[in-house]
Amino acid sequence: MKIEPVVLENRWVRLEPFAPGLKEALRAAISVDPEAWSIMVSTAYGEAFDPWWDGFMKRLAGGRDTPYAVRRLSDGRIVGASSLHDLVPEHRRVELGSTFYHPDARGGVINPASKRLLLGHAFDSGIVRVEIITDAINARSQAAIARLGAVREAVLRRHKTTHTGRVRDTVMFAITDQDWPEVMARLDARLAAFA
């Protein structure tokens, strides 16, 4: 199985698979806010952006990751990135993550609109389980994931090492194909409030 890197669009955002022409607009959008990057596993801040980009482009070419630049349709500006990555075809499982938005795109319609498209694309592609993980110290991220309707399943102790060298605990959430109709309805109702 494969998740095709196709453009995804709704009323609020257009998700565009990474391509060379998007690189500088994406750099401007996400190579900001070093404090927010400080708790991430990897970083695209400053000099780290090029290796971060190159890694995603390599994994995109290999069919393992499907990274997207997030374009806000109200002004046409690239405001962030998100990805369906670490695809495990034999188990029909993928992770939704590597999400980072410019500060002026946080807290509104951008994240739920993007997640609605990414989750729909994953399940339409035959995925049966989408995992969403976050740092145990990132309460804001955990709350946003829970608002999506994902099920909190576990805390993986000392699971990953961040780019700063801190060993983190990871909170694991998941949405299965059986959960998707209810999650989709919740997201659609949430997005209707922005219409």
Side-chain angles (χ1 to χ4, degrees):
M1 81 164 311
K2 184 177 180 186
I3 297 176
E4 294 294 336
V6 297
V7 172
L8 306 171
E9 185 172 334
N10 58 25
R11 182 176 180 169
W12 301 276
V13 295
R14 181 169 51 249
L15 305 186
E16 302 173 25
F18 279 17
L22 295 169
K23 183 177 180 180
E24 294 311 314
L26 189 58
R27 182 193 310 269
I30 70 172
S31 184
V32 297
D33 196 1
E35 185 177 333
W37 281 111
S38 70
I39 65 169
M40 305 291 243
V41 172
S42 63
T43 182
Y45 181 74
E47 293 179 1
F49 180 85
D50 286 322
W52 178 90
W53 171 270
D54 293 344
F56 265 114
M57 292 300 284
K58 182 178 179 180
R59 293 187 303 275
L60 173 61
R64 181 175 168 219
D65 290 4
T66 310
Y68 288 93
V70 178
R71 186 177 301 276
R72 182 170 50 201
L73 292 180
S74 64
D75 62 7
R77 193 173 126 224
I78 298 292
V79 294
S82 198
S83 173
L84 294 168
H85 61 269
D86 293 331
L87 175 66
V88 184
E90 63 271 25
H91 298 299
R92 297 167 58 195
R93 181 178 76 226
V94 73
E95 186 178 325
L96 191 166
S98 295
T99 301
F100 193 92
Y101 298 114
H102 189 276
D104 74 8
R106 296 175 190 158
V109 71
I110 300 300
N111 189 53
S114 297
K115 294 299 190 283
R116 172 62 175 87
L117 289 170
L118 290 166
L119 288 164
H121 187 46
F123 290 115
D124 288 347
S125 298
I127 292 294
V128 299
R129 177 182 169 86
V130 176
E131 296 174 343
I132 309 173
I133 64 173
T134 192
D135 196 315
I137 68 170
N138 193 341
R140 180 177 161 177
S141 177
Q142 290 176 59
I145 296 166
R147 268 194 311 279
L148 292 173
V151 175
R152 181 183 169 127
E153 294 183 337
V155 175
L156 309 176
R157 298 176 305 137
R158 300 185 66 76
H159 179 239
K160 292 190 174 194
T161 302
T162 71
H163 70 95
T164 64
R166 179 177 59 85
V167 179
R168 81 173 206 185
D169 293 345
T170 295
V171 181
M172 169 76 73
F173 292 82
I175 300 169
T176 70
D177 56 339
Q178 295 171 334
D179 304 326
W180 176 231
E182 182 179 334
V183 170
M184 179 173 51
R186 283 177 64 167
L187 273 169
D188 288 345
R190 193 169 154 199
L191 290 170
F194 291 99

